[in-house]
Amino acid sequence: MSSLDPTATRAWSALDRLARDLTCDLGQWFAQDPGRAAKLTFQAGDLSVDLSKNLVTDEVMAHLLDLARAVDLAGRRQAMLTGQRVNLTERRSVLHTALRRPRTDSLMVEGVDVVAEVHQVLDRIYAFAQQVRQGAWTGLTGHPIRAVVNIGIGGSDLGPAMVHDALKPYVHPDLTCRFVSNIDPADLFEQTRDLDPATTLFIVASKTFTTLETLTNARLARQWLWDGLAKSGAMADHEQARRAAVSRHFVAVSTALDKVAAFGIDPANAFGFWDWVGGRYSVDSAVGTVLAVALGPERFAQFLDGFHQIDQHFEEQPFERNLPVLMGLINVWHHNFLGAATHAVLPYSQYLHRFAAYLQQLTMESNGKRVRLDGAPVDVATGEIFWGEPGTNGQHAFYQLIHQGTQLIPADFIAPANPAHALSDGDQDVHELLLANFFAQTKALAFGKTADQVRAEGTPEELVSARVFPGNRPTTSILAEALTPSVMGQLIALYEHITFVQGVVWGIDSFDQWGVELGKQLALQIAPALTGDRAALAAQDPSTQALIERYRAWRQR
């Protein structure tokens, strides 16, 4: 697959000229074009997205669309969706979209119907989920499962944990779900300290069943199970009893069945996925088994259908009305031409409190690249820094910088129109108070407050400059009727495809992740030094040696 330097296109040059000459004035743009809001508001699935407060004009949008055509976005999209090996450095297809295609579809890739394979696994996951939910799956003592602990890291944790919290109103009322990812022993300790081993089920999610953090935590969890069952008298102290306990209290999300069996998990209770599913794109695969248990098969299917709705929109809509395309291109405009290094995601829903963290992995692991597909260094800035917190918490923390700081920070505001739990403070609908802030912040960021407006409020002249808001801070507003399983799938798929669009424009491989490997390799080399291996210590640089020696001195006290 060829790689194109986007800066060599006429569209890039035109955008560069526009950026140099552009005077951003959202107030004037809205005044000159009363239809701007309607023209730049789009629908995809159940999402209504207003792009009108971004720093774009008709001319900017026209050249951005020309850029999309110049880099052959349509061809790259088709290559991904049909299973061509667009992940070049790992020589893999990229088919997370196949995970949510309906059973009636078919997609042949290298002689295999991948959709049929997906639904075979889904059927097994759904049957297992129903057993747990209905109490038919019991632990060693015959008691039904009441707590499910997902052990994974990266995509095997961030996705399921984020979606579980986002959809808590839909979780089975008799099930507690916990998530363990950090190799810090505090994580496993805190997530299991109040659980009963007799009613706890662990899901170990590791495709290769070799991930250091996940397997370490799995072994610690296994020991916790054995110790707890033995202490209560429910398990005898011999190997056969221990294996029986693991077989009833552990299942796996993995394709390494030999390693699963060696751990003690029955391979029949392992749910696999494929090398064309990247970790950060895997929440709708078997990695979401914990969600199928928590939400139930019907709602998990609705979750998958939400993804598919956006997949269809991305595949079928012309670029001019294609939300992932438009949002990805606008991100490129802000990042590469207007100098915005970071991108805030600000959900006005406490249930989405982990969404920004999820997007950090999706976007920054995907597009944090410094070489193009052909191995040549990139000539442009890639990979925005994604971050954020729920509103209104962020308003009392970092919004100051967004409003009046010296950096341009585009922000996506996300909100459901209807809350899961409606509460009133006297006559005040509290969700409406929350949403009033949602609407007010995007208005303030767009239009600001002039010095004359500040003076008209009676502000002393010496304080006027401090109270001026420059405005022209770009925002996107994403509204949905409610935060349902389908809408959650739609939100994730929207950002997946936005990330893809940006990667295509930059000419990079958005699907490999070599940048995470070096630190992991070095950790294995350094580990012996922490336990006194002098040769391993001597092999380190002076700074690392000094740090390890300080650590050992404190640890041994």
mmCIF file with all atom_site columns, all heavy atoms in Angstrom, residues 49 67 82 93 103-104 148 162 183 228 230 237 258 272 282 287 293 297 320 325 336 400 406 459 464 482 490 537 547:
data_model
loop_
_atom_site.group_PDB
_atom_site.id
_atom_site.type_symbol
_atom_site.label_atom_id
_atom_site.label_alt_id
_atom_site.label_comp_id
_atom_site.label_asym_id
_atom_site.label_entity_id
_atom_site.label_seq_id
_atom_site.pdbx_PDB_ins_code
_atom_site.Cartn_x
_atom_site.Cartn_y
_atom_site.Cartn_z
_atom_site.occupancy
_atom_site.B_iso_or_equiv
_atom_site.pdbx_formal_charge
_atom_site.auth_seq_id
_atom_site.auth_comp_id
_atom_site.auth_asym_id
_atom_site.auth_atom_id
_atom_site.pdbx_PDB_model_num
ATOM 1   N N   . VAL A 1 49  ? -24.906 15.959  16.090 1.00 0.00 ? 49  VAL A N   1
ATOM 2   C CA  . VAL A 1 49  ? -23.583 16.554  16.292 1.00 0.00 ? 49  VAL A CA  1
ATOM 3   C C   . VAL A 1 49  ? -23.534 17.926  15.628 1.00 0.00 ? 49  VAL A C   1
ATOM 4   O O   . VAL A 1 49  ? -23.727 18.050  14.412 1.00 0.00 ? 49  VAL A O   1
ATOM 5   C CB  . VAL A 1 49  ? -22.476 15.644  15.737 1.00 0.00 ? 49  VAL A CB  1
ATOM 6   C CG1 . VAL A 1 49  ? -21.105 16.254  16.001 1.00 0.00 ? 49  VAL A CG1 1
ATOM 7   C CG2 . VAL A 1 49  ? -22.569 14.253  16.360 1.00 0.00 ? 49  VAL A CG2 1
ATOM 8   N N   . LEU A 1 67  ? -8.683  17.449  0.460  1.00 0.00 ? 67  LEU A N   1
ATOM 9   C CA  . LEU A 1 67  ? -7.561  16.718  1.057  1.00 0.00 ? 67  LEU A CA  1
ATOM 10  C C   . LEU A 1 67  ? -7.928  15.248  1.273  1.00 0.00 ? 67  LEU A C   1
ATOM 11  O O   . LEU A 1 67  ? -7.118  14.352  1.012  1.00 0.00 ? 67  LEU A O   1
ATOM 12  C CB  . LEU A 1 67  ? -7.166  17.372  2.382  1.00 0.00 ? 67  LEU A CB  1
ATOM 13  C CG  . LEU A 1 67  ? -6.029  16.711  3.165  1.00 0.00 ? 67  LEU A CG  1
ATOM 14  C CD1 . LEU A 1 67  ? -4.732  16.716  2.362  1.00 0.00 ? 67  LEU A CD1 1
ATOM 15  C CD2 . LEU A 1 67  ? -5.822  17.416  4.509  1.00 0.00 ? 67  LEU A CD2 1
ATOM 16  N N   . THR A 1 82  ? -12.927 -4.279  3.948  1.00 0.00 ? 82  THR A N   1
ATOM 17  C CA  . THR A 1 82  ? -12.998 -5.552  3.214  1.00 0.00 ? 82  THR A CA  1
ATOM 18  C C   . THR A 1 82  ? -11.905 -6.529  3.630  1.00 0.00 ? 82  THR A C   1
ATOM 19  O O   . THR A 1 82  ? -11.797 -7.613  3.052  1.00 0.00 ? 82  THR A O   1
ATOM 20  C CB  . THR A 1 82  ? -12.922 -5.309  1.698  1.00 0.00 ? 82  THR A CB  1
ATOM 21  O OG1 . THR A 1 82  ? -11.736 -4.559  1.398  1.00 0.00 ? 82  THR A OG1 1
ATOM 22  C CG2 . THR A 1 82  ? -14.146 -4.541  1.218  1.00 0.00 ? 82  THR A CG2 1
ATOM 23  N N   . SER A 1 93  ? -4.895  -7.774  8.697  1.00 0.00 ? 93  SER A N   1
ATOM 24  C CA  . SER A 1 93  ? -6.132  -7.065  8.399  1.00 0.00 ? 93  SER A CA  1
ATOM 25  C C   . SER A 1 93  ? -6.589  -6.318  9.646  1.00 0.00 ? 93  SER A C   1
ATOM 26  O O   . SER A 1 93  ? -6.113  -6.587  10.758 1.00 0.00 ? 93  SER A O   1
ATOM 27  C CB  . SER A 1 93  ? -7.223  -8.050  7.969  1.00 0.00 ? 93  SER A CB  1
ATOM 28  O OG  . SER A 1 93  ? -6.844  -8.764  6.821  1.00 0.00 ? 93  SER A OG  1
ATOM 29  N N   . ARG A 1 103 ? -25.690 -11.171 11.925 1.00 0.00 ? 103 ARG A N   1
ATOM 30  C CA  . ARG A 1 103 ? -25.519 -12.582 11.560 1.00 0.00 ? 103 ARG A CA  1
ATOM 31  C C   . ARG A 1 103 ? -25.839 -12.834 10.098 1.00 0.00 ? 103 ARG A C   1
ATOM 32  O O   . ARG A 1 103 ? -25.279 -13.754 9.474  1.00 0.00 ? 103 ARG A O   1
ATOM 33  C CB  . ARG A 1 103 ? -26.434 -13.428 12.456 1.00 0.00 ? 103 ARG A CB  1
ATOM 34  C CG  . ARG A 1 103 ? -26.232 -14.922 12.369 1.00 0.00 ? 103 ARG A CG  1
ATOM 35  C CD  . ARG A 1 103 ? -27.241 -15.657 13.230 1.00 0.00 ? 103 ARG A CD  1
ATOM 36  N NE  . ARG A 1 103 ? -27.147 -15.263 14.630 1.00 0.00 ? 103 ARG A NE  1
ATOM 37  C CZ  . ARG A 1 103 ? -26.353 -15.848 15.521 1.00 0.00 ? 103 ARG A CZ  1
ATOM 38  N NH1 . ARG A 1 103 ? -25.577 -16.841 15.157 1.00 0.00 ? 103 ARG A NH1 1
ATOM 39  N NH2 . ARG A 1 103 ? -26.343 -15.443 16.775 1.00 0.00 ? 103 ARG A NH2 1
ATOM 40  N N   . THR A 1 104 ? -26.737 -12.048 9.531  1.00 0.00 ? 104 THR A N   1
ATOM 41  C CA  . THR A 1 104 ? -27.150 -12.252 8.142  1.00 0.00 ? 104 THR A CA  1
ATOM 42  C C   . THR A 1 104 ? -26.097 -11.792 7.136  1.00 0.00 ? 104 THR A C   1
ATOM 43  O O   . THR A 1 104 ? -26.209 -12.082 5.946  1.00 0.00 ? 104 THR A O   1
ATOM 44  C CB  . THR A 1 104 ? -28.461 -11.496 7.876  1.00 0.00 ? 104 THR A CB  1
ATOM 45  O OG1 . THR A 1 104 ? -28.306 -10.119 8.290  1.00 0.00 ? 104 THR A OG1 1
ATOM 46  C CG2 . THR A 1 104 ? -29.613 -12.116 8.645  1.00 0.00 ? 104 THR A CG2 1
ATOM 47  N N   . VAL A 1 148 ? -18.124 -10.626 39.494 1.00 0.00 ? 148 VAL A N   1
ATOM 48  C CA  . VAL A 1 148 ? -17.311 -10.971 38.328 1.00 0.00 ? 148 VAL A CA  1
ATOM 49  C C   . VAL A 1 148 ? -16.153 -9.984  38.274 1.00 0.00 ? 148 VAL A C   1
ATOM 50  O O   . VAL A 1 148 ? -16.363 -8.767  38.264 1.00 0.00 ? 148 VAL A O   1
ATOM 51  C CB  . VAL A 1 148 ? -18.127 -10.900 37.025 1.00 0.00 ? 148 VAL A CB  1
ATOM 52  C CG1 . VAL A 1 148 ? -17.257 -11.289 35.837 1.00 0.00 ? 148 VAL A CG1 1
ATOM 53  C CG2 . VAL A 1 148 ? -19.355 -11.801 37.115 1.00 0.00 ? 148 VAL A CG2 1
ATOM 54  N N   . MET A 1 162 ? -14.694 1.008   31.101 1.00 0.00 ? 162 MET A N   1
ATOM 55  C CA  . MET A 1 162 ? -15.370 2.255   30.724 1.00 0.00 ? 162 MET A CA  1
ATOM 56  C C   . MET A 1 162 ? -16.831 2.005   30.388 1.00 0.00 ? 162 MET A C   1
ATOM 57  O O   . MET A 1 162 ? -17.728 2.732   30.856 1.00 0.00 ? 162 MET A O   1
ATOM 58  C CB  . MET A 1 162 ? -14.644 2.891   29.541 1.00 0.00 ? 162 MET A CB  1
ATOM 59  C CG  . MET A 1 162 ? -15.234 4.218   29.069 1.00 0.00 ? 162 MET A CG  1
ATOM 60  S SD  . MET A 1 162 ? -16.624 4.063   27.900 1.00 0.00 ? 162 MET A SD  1
ATOM 61  C CE  . MET A 1 162 ? -15.808 3.407   26.447 1.00 0.00 ? 162 MET A CE  1
ATOM 62  N N   . ILE A 1 183 ? -0.454  -3.810  37.701 1.00 0.00 ? 183 ILE A N   1
ATOM 63  C CA  . ILE A 1 183 ? 0.348   -4.828  38.375 1.00 0.00 ? 183 ILE A CA  1
ATOM 64  C C   . ILE A 1 183 ? 0.663   -4.425  39.812 1.00 0.00 ? 183 ILE A C   1
ATOM 65  O O   . ILE A 1 183 ? 1.129   -5.237  40.618 1.00 0.00 ? 183 ILE A O   1
ATOM 66  C CB  . ILE A 1 183 ? 1.644   -5.099  37.575 1.00 0.00 ? 183 ILE A CB  1
ATOM 67  C CG1 . ILE A 1 183 ? 2.235   -6.457  37.952 1.00 0.00 ? 183 ILE A CG1 1
ATOM 68  C CG2 . ILE A 1 183 ? 2.641   -3.963  37.757 1.00 0.00 ? 183 ILE A CG2 1
ATOM 69  C CD1 . ILE A 1 183 ? 3.371   -6.885  37.064 1.00 0.00 ? 183 ILE A CD1 1
ATOM 70  N N   . GLY A 1 228 ? -8.900  -18.356 50.225 1.00 0.00 ? 228 GLY A N   1
ATOM 71  C CA  . GLY A 1 228 ? -10.222 -18.061 50.776 1.00 0.00 ? 228 GLY A CA  1
ATOM 72  C C   . GLY A 1 228 ? -11.085 -19.295 50.916 1.00 0.00 ? 228 GLY A C   1
ATOM 73  O O   . GLY A 1 228 ? -11.759 -19.491 51.945 1.00 0.00 ? 228 GLY A O   1
ATOM 74  N N   . ALA A 1 230 ? -10.022 -22.411 51.122 1.00 0.00 ? 230 ALA A N   1
ATOM 75  C CA  . ALA A 1 230 ? -9.441  -23.296 52.132 1.00 0.00 ? 230 ALA A CA  1
ATOM 76  C C   . ALA A 1 230 ? -9.744  -22.794 53.539 1.00 0.00 ? 230 ALA A C   1
ATOM 77  O O   . ALA A 1 230 ? -10.077 -23.576 54.441 1.00 0.00 ? 230 ALA A O   1
ATOM 78  C CB  . ALA A 1 230 ? -7.936  -23.402 51.915 1.00 0.00 ? 230 ALA A CB  1
ATOM 79  N N   . ASP A 1 237 ? -6.892  -29.259 50.704 1.00 0.00 ? 237 ASP A N   1
ATOM 80  C CA  . ASP A 1 237 ? -5.565  -28.776 50.321 1.00 0.00 ? 237 ASP A CA  1
ATOM 81  C C   . ASP A 1 237 ? -4.836  -29.826 49.492 1.00 0.00 ? 237 ASP A C   1
ATOM 82  O O   . ASP A 1 237 ? -3.873  -30.469 49.944 1.00 0.00 ? 237 ASP A O   1
ATOM 83  C CB  . ASP A 1 237 ? -4.756  -28.427 51.573 1.00 0.00 ? 237 ASP A CB  1
ATOM 84  C CG  . ASP A 1 237 ? -3.422  -27.779 51.216 1.00 0.00 ? 237 ASP A CG  1
ATOM 85  O OD1 . ASP A 1 237 ? -3.302  -27.294 50.070 1.00 0.00 ? 237 ASP A OD1 1
ATOM 86  O OD2 . ASP A 1 237 ? -2.516  -27.767 52.065 1.00 0.00 ? 237 ASP A OD2 1
ATOM 87  N N   . ASP A 1 258 ? -3.543  -23.932 25.034 1.00 0.00 ? 258 ASP A N   1
ATOM 88  C CA  . ASP A 1 258 ? -2.600  -24.738 25.811 1.00 0.00 ? 258 ASP A CA  1
ATOM 89  C C   . ASP A 1 258 ? -2.199  -24.015 27.094 1.00 0.00 ? 258 ASP A C   1
ATOM 90  O O   . ASP A 1 258 ? -2.133  -24.621 28.169 1.00 0.00 ? 258 ASP A O   1
ATOM 91  C CB  . ASP A 1 258 ? -1.370  -25.069 24.959 1.00 0.00 ? 258 ASP A CB  1
ATOM 92  C CG  . ASP A 1 258 ? -0.684  -23.834 24.397 1.00 0.00 ? 258 ASP A CG  1
ATOM 93  O OD1 . ASP A 1 258 ? -1.341  -22.776 24.278 1.00 0.00 ? 258 ASP A OD1 1
ATOM 94  O OD2 . ASP A 1 258 ? 0.514   -23.917 24.052 1.00 0.00 ? 258 ASP A OD2 1
ATOM 95  N N   . GLY A 1 272 ? -12.328 -16.901 22.286 1.00 0.00 ? 272 GLY A N   1
ATOM 96  C CA  . GLY A 1 272 ? -11.225 -16.370 21.497 1.00 0.00 ? 272 GLY A CA  1
ATOM 97  C C   . GLY A 1 272 ? -11.607 -15.194 20.621 1.00 0.00 ? 272 GLY A C   1
ATOM 98  O O   . GLY A 1 272 ? -12.779 -14.890 20.406 1.00 0.00 ? 272 GLY A O   1
ATOM 99  N N   . SER A 1 282 ? -11.138 -3.709  20.777 1.00 0.00 ? 282 SER A N   1
ATOM 100 C CA  . SER A 1 282 ? -11.617 -5.062  21.073 1.00 0.00 ? 282 SER A CA  1
ATOM 101 C C   . SER A 1 282 ? -12.788 -5.143  22.042 1.00 0.00 ? 282 SER A C   1
ATOM 102 O O   . SER A 1 282 ? -13.221 -6.238  22.377 1.00 0.00 ? 282 SER A O   1
ATOM 103 C CB  . SER A 1 282 ? -10.458 -5.903  21.642 1.00 0.00 ? 282 SER A CB  1
ATOM 104 O OG  . SER A 1 282 ? -10.049 -5.417  22.908 1.00 0.00 ? 282 SER A OG  1
ATOM 105 N N   . VAL A 1 287 ? -13.443 -9.808  24.398 1.00 0.00 ? 287 VAL A N   1
ATOM 106 C CA  . VAL A 1 287 ? -12.967 -8.973  25.505 1.00 0.00 ? 287 VAL A CA  1
ATOM 107 C C   . VAL A 1 287 ? -14.147 -8.372  26.266 1.00 0.00 ? 287 VAL A C   1
ATOM 108 O O   . VAL A 1 287 ? -14.052 -8.089  27.463 1.00 0.00 ? 287 VAL A O   1
ATOM 109 C CB  . VAL A 1 287 ? -12.013 -7.881  24.973 1.00 0.00 ? 287 VAL A CB  1
ATOM 110 C CG1 . VAL A 1 287 ? -11.766 -6.793  26.006 1.00 0.00 ? 287 VAL A CG1 1
ATOM 111 C CG2 . VAL A 1 287 ? -10.689 -8.514  24.532 1.00 0.00 ? 287 VAL A CG2 1
ATOM 112 N N   . VAL A 1 293 ? -22.076 -10.519 30.386 1.00 0.00 ? 293 VAL A N   1
ATOM 113 C CA  . VAL A 1 293 ? -22.579 -11.028 31.657 1.00 0.00 ? 293 VAL A CA  1
ATOM 114 C C   . VAL A 1 293 ? -23.311 -9.928  32.416 1.00 0.00 ? 293 VAL A C   1
ATOM 115 O O   . VAL A 1 293 ? -24.422 -10.121 32.915 1.00 0.00 ? 293 VAL A O   1
ATOM 116 C CB  . VAL A 1 293 ? -21.424 -11.589 32.510 1.00 0.00 ? 293 VAL A CB  1
ATOM 117 C CG1 . VAL A 1 293 ? -21.925 -11.975 33.899 1.00 0.00 ? 293 VAL A CG1 1
ATOM 118 C CG2 . VAL A 1 293 ? -20.787 -12.793 31.824 1.00 0.00 ? 293 VAL A CG2 1
ATOM 119 N N   . PRO A 1 297 ? -27.193 -10.709 27.168 1.00 0.00 ? 297 PRO A N   1
ATOM 120 C CA  . PRO A 1 297 ? -27.002 -10.846 25.722 1.00 0.00 ? 297 PRO A CA  1
ATOM 121 C C   . PRO A 1 297 ? -27.810 -9.850  24.897 1.00 0.00 ? 297 PRO A C   1
ATOM 122 O O   . PRO A 1 297 ? -27.307 -9.312  23.905 1.00 0.00 ? 297 PRO A O   1
ATOM 123 C CB  . PRO A 1 297 ? -27.440 -12.285 25.439 1.00 0.00 ? 297 PRO A CB  1
ATOM 124 C CG  . PRO A 1 297 ? -27.166 -13.010 26.719 1.00 0.00 ? 297 PRO A CG  1
ATOM 125 C CD  . PRO A 1 297 ? -27.489 -12.014 27.801 1.00 0.00 ? 297 PRO A CD  1
ATOM 126 N N   . GLU A 1 320 ? -19.366 14.814  2.468  1.00 0.00 ? 320 GLU A N   1
ATOM 127 C CA  . GLU A 1 320 ? -19.967 16.083  2.892  1.00 0.00 ? 320 GLU A CA  1
ATOM 128 C C   . GLU A 1 320 ? -20.951 15.920  4.043  1.00 0.00 ? 320 GLU A C   1
ATOM 129 O O   . GLU A 1 320 ? -21.256 16.897  4.744  1.00 0.00 ? 320 GLU A O   1
ATOM 130 C CB  . GLU A 1 320 ? -20.678 16.753  1.708  1.00 0.00 ? 320 GLU A CB  1
ATOM 131 C CG  . GLU A 1 320 ? -19.770 17.260  0.612  1.00 0.00 ? 320 GLU A CG  1
ATOM 132 C CD  . GLU A 1 320 ? -19.278 16.148  -0.325 1.00 0.00 ? 320 GLU A CD  1
ATOM 133 O OE1 . GLU A 1 320 ? -19.732 14.979  -0.176 1.00 0.00 ? 320 GLU A OE1 1
ATOM 134 O OE2 . GLU A 1 320 ? -18.441 16.434  -1.210 1.00 0.00 ? 320 GLU A OE2 1
ATOM 135 N N   . VAL A 1 325 ? -15.755 11.432  8.968  1.00 0.00 ? 325 VAL A N   1
ATOM 136 C CA  . VAL A 1 325 ? -14.886 12.118  8.012  1.00 0.00 ? 325 VAL A CA  1
ATOM 137 C C   . VAL A 1 325 ? -14.769 13.593  8.367  1.00 0.00 ? 325 VAL A C   1
ATOM 138 O O   . VAL A 1 325 ? -13.661 14.144  8.464  1.00 0.00 ? 325 VAL A O   1
ATOM 139 C CB  . VAL A 1 325 ? -15.415 11.937  6.578  1.00 0.00 ? 325 VAL A CB  1
ATOM 140 C CG1 . VAL A 1 325 ? -14.638 12.824  5.603  1.00 0.00 ? 325 VAL A CG1 1
ATOM 141 C CG2 . VAL A 1 325 ? -15.336 10.476  6.155  1.00 0.00 ? 325 VAL A CG2 1
ATOM 142 N N   . ASN A 1 336 ? -3.026  20.628  12.727 1.00 0.00 ? 336 ASN A N   1
ATOM 143 C CA  . ASN A 1 336 ? -1.907  20.858  11.816 1.00 0.00 ? 336 ASN A CA  1
ATOM 144 C C   . ASN A 1 336 ? -1.818  22.278  11.285 1.00 0.00 ? 336 ASN A C   1
ATOM 145 O O   . ASN A 1 336 ? -0.724  22.719  10.914 1.00 0.00 ? 336 ASN A O   1
ATOM 146 C CB  . ASN A 1 336 ? -1.969  19.884  10.637 1.00 0.00 ? 336 ASN A CB  1
ATOM 147 C CG  . ASN A 1 336 ? -1.741  18.448  11.049 1.00 0.00 ? 336 ASN A CG  1
ATOM 148 O OD1 . ASN A 1 336 ? -2.675  17.653  11.095 1.00 0.00 ? 336 ASN A OD1 1
ATOM 149 N ND2 . ASN A 1 336 ? -0.514  18.097  11.376 1.00 0.00 ? 336 ASN A ND2 1
ATOM 150 N N   . GLN A 1 400 ? -10.539 27.115  33.043 1.00 0.00 ? 400 GLN A N   1
ATOM 151 C CA  . GLN A 1 400 ? -9.849  28.405  33.016 1.00 0.00 ? 400 GLN A CA  1
ATOM 152 C C   . GLN A 1 400 ? -8.856  28.468  31.863 1.00 0.00 ? 400 GLN A C   1
ATOM 153 O O   . GLN A 1 400 ? -8.808  29.446  31.101 1.00 0.00 ? 400 GLN A O   1
ATOM 154 C CB  . GLN A 1 400 ? -9.124  28.634  34.343 1.00 0.00 ? 400 GLN A CB  1
ATOM 155 C CG  . GLN A 1 400 ? -8.182  29.827  34.361 1.00 0.00 ? 400 GLN A CG  1
ATOM 156 C CD  . GLN A 1 400 ? -8.904  31.142  34.224 1.00 0.00 ? 400 GLN A CD  1
ATOM 157 O OE1 . GLN A 1 400 ? -9.930  31.357  34.853 1.00 0.00 ? 400 GLN A OE1 1
ATOM 158 N NE2 . GLN A 1 400 ? -8.374  32.041  33.389 1.00 0.00 ? 400 GLN A NE2 1
ATOM 159 N N   . THR A 1 406 ? -3.429  30.647  26.810 1.00 0.00 ? 406 THR A N   1
ATOM 160 C CA  . THR A 1 406 ? -2.792  31.021  25.546 1.00 0.00 ? 406 THR A CA  1
ATOM 161 C C   . THR A 1 406 ? -2.774  29.894  24.531 1.00 0.00 ? 406 THR A C   1
ATOM 162 O O   . THR A 1 406 ? -2.312  30.084  23.405 1.00 0.00 ? 406 THR A O   1
ATOM 163 C CB  . THR A 1 406 ? -1.345  31.469  25.819 1.00 0.00 ? 406 THR A CB  1
ATOM 164 O OG1 . THR A 1 406 ? -0.644  30.404  26.473 1.00 0.00 ? 406 THR A OG1 1
ATOM 165 C CG2 . THR A 1 406 ? -1.323  32.712  26.708 1.00 0.00 ? 406 THR A CG2 1
ATOM 166 N N   . THR A 1 459 ? -17.471 46.941  35.795 1.00 0.00 ? 459 THR A N   1
ATOM 167 C CA  . THR A 1 459 ? -16.171 46.474  36.263 1.00 0.00 ? 459 THR A CA  1
ATOM 168 C C   . THR A 1 459 ? -15.159 47.621  36.256 1.00 0.00 ? 459 THR A C   1
ATOM 169 O O   . THR A 1 459 ? -15.054 48.355  35.268 1.00 0.00 ? 459 THR A O   1
ATOM 170 C CB  . THR A 1 459 ? -15.664 45.339  35.342 1.00 0.00 ? 459 THR A CB  1
ATOM 171 O OG1 . THR A 1 459 ? -16.631 44.293  35.326 1.00 0.00 ? 459 THR A OG1 1
ATOM 172 C CG2 . THR A 1 459 ? -14.326 44.795  35.820 1.00 0.00 ? 459 THR A CG2 1
ATOM 173 N N   . VAL A 1 464 ? -10.659 45.141  33.899 1.00 0.00 ? 464 VAL A N   1
ATOM 174 C CA  . VAL A 1 464 ? -11.359 44.793  32.658 1.00 0.00 ? 464 VAL A CA  1
ATOM 175 C C   . VAL A 1 464 ? -10.609 43.714  31.882 1.00 0.00 ? 464 VAL A C   1
ATOM 176 O O   . VAL A 1 464 ? -11.187 42.703  31.450 1.00 0.00 ? 464 VAL A O   1
ATOM 177 C CB  . VAL A 1 464 ? -11.568 46.045  31.782 1.00 0.00 ? 464 VAL A CB  1
ATOM 178 C CG1 . VAL A 1 464 ? -11.999 45.638  30.363 1.00 0.00 ? 464 VAL A CG1 1
ATOM 179 C CG2 . VAL A 1 464 ? -12.621 46.949  32.399 1.00 0.00 ? 464 VAL A CG2 1
ATOM 180 N N   . ALA A 1 482 ? -30.565 9.539   25.063 1.00 0.00 ? 482 ALA A N   1
ATOM 181 C CA  . ALA A 1 482 ? -30.231 8.915   26.340 1.00 0.00 ? 482 ALA A CA  1
ATOM 182 C C   . ALA A 1 482 ? -28.966 8.091   26.145 1.00 0.00 ? 482 ALA A C   1
ATOM 183 O O   . ALA A 1 482 ? -28.607 7.743   25.015 1.00 0.00 ? 482 ALA A O   1
ATOM 184 C CB  . ALA A 1 482 ? -31.371 8.034   26.845 1.00 0.00 ? 482 ALA A CB  1
ATOM 185 N N   . GLN A 1 490 ? -22.375 3.568   19.513 1.00 0.00 ? 490 GLN A N   1
ATOM 186 C CA  . GLN A 1 490 ? -22.253 4.601   18.484 1.00 0.00 ? 490 GLN A CA  1
ATOM 187 C C   . GLN A 1 490 ? -21.139 5.587   18.804 1.00 0.00 ? 490 GLN A C   1
ATOM 188 O O   . GLN A 1 490 ? -20.368 5.990   17.930 1.00 0.00 ? 490 GLN A O   1
ATOM 189 C CB  . GLN A 1 490 ? -23.587 5.330   18.339 1.00 0.00 ? 490 GLN A CB  1
ATOM 190 C CG  . GLN A 1 490 ? -24.700 4.481   17.751 1.00 0.00 ? 490 GLN A CG  1
ATOM 191 C CD  . GLN A 1 490 ? -26.054 5.151   17.821 1.00 0.00 ? 490 GLN A CD  1
ATOM 192 O OE1 . GLN A 1 490 ? -26.185 6.338   17.522 1.00 0.00 ? 490 GLN A OE1 1
ATOM 193 N NE2 . GLN A 1 490 ? -27.075 4.409   18.237 1.00 0.00 ? 490 GLN A NE2 1
ATOM 194 N N   . LEU A 1 537 ? 22.317  -4.938  37.390 1.00 0.00 ? 537 LEU A N   1
ATOM 195 C CA  . LEU A 1 537 ? 22.425  -3.546  37.841 1.00 0.00 ? 537 LEU A CA  1
ATOM 196 C C   . LEU A 1 537 ? 23.529  -2.829  37.079 1.00 0.00 ? 537 LEU A C   1
ATOM 197 O O   . LEU A 1 537 ? 23.361  -1.679  36.638 1.00 0.00 ? 537 LEU A O   1
ATOM 198 C CB  . LEU A 1 537 ? 22.692  -3.499  39.341 1.00 0.00 ? 537 LEU A CB  1
ATOM 199 C CG  . LEU A 1 537 ? 22.810  -2.098  39.954 1.00 0.00 ? 537 LEU A CG  1
ATOM 200 C CD1 . LEU A 1 537 ? 21.487  -1.349  39.839 1.00 0.00 ? 537 LEU A CD1 1
ATOM 201 C CD2 . LEU A 1 537 ? 23.242  -2.191  41.418 1.00 0.00 ? 537 LEU A CD2 1
ATOM 202 N N   . LEU A 1 547 ? 18.816  5.133   40.906 1.00 0.00 ? 547 LEU A N   1
ATOM 203 C CA  . LEU A 1 547 ? 17.421  4.998   41.311 1.00 0.00 ? 547 LEU A CA  1
ATOM 204 C C   . LEU A 1 547 ? 17.157  3.617   41.918 1.00 0.00 ? 547 LEU A C   1
ATOM 205 O O   . LEU A 1 547 ? 16.461  3.479   42.934 1.00 0.00 ? 547 LEU A O   1
ATOM 206 C CB  . LEU A 1 547 ? 16.503  5.241   40.113 1.00 0.00 ? 547 LEU A CB  1
ATOM 207 C CG  . LEU A 1 547 ? 16.416  6.686   39.622 1.00 0.00 ? 547 LEU A CG  1
ATOM 208 C CD1 . LEU A 1 547 ? 15.739  6.735   38.257 1.00 0.00 ? 547 LEU A CD1 1
ATOM 209 C CD2 . LEU A 1 547 ? 15.655  7.555   40.618 1.00 0.00 ? 547 LEU A CD2 1
#
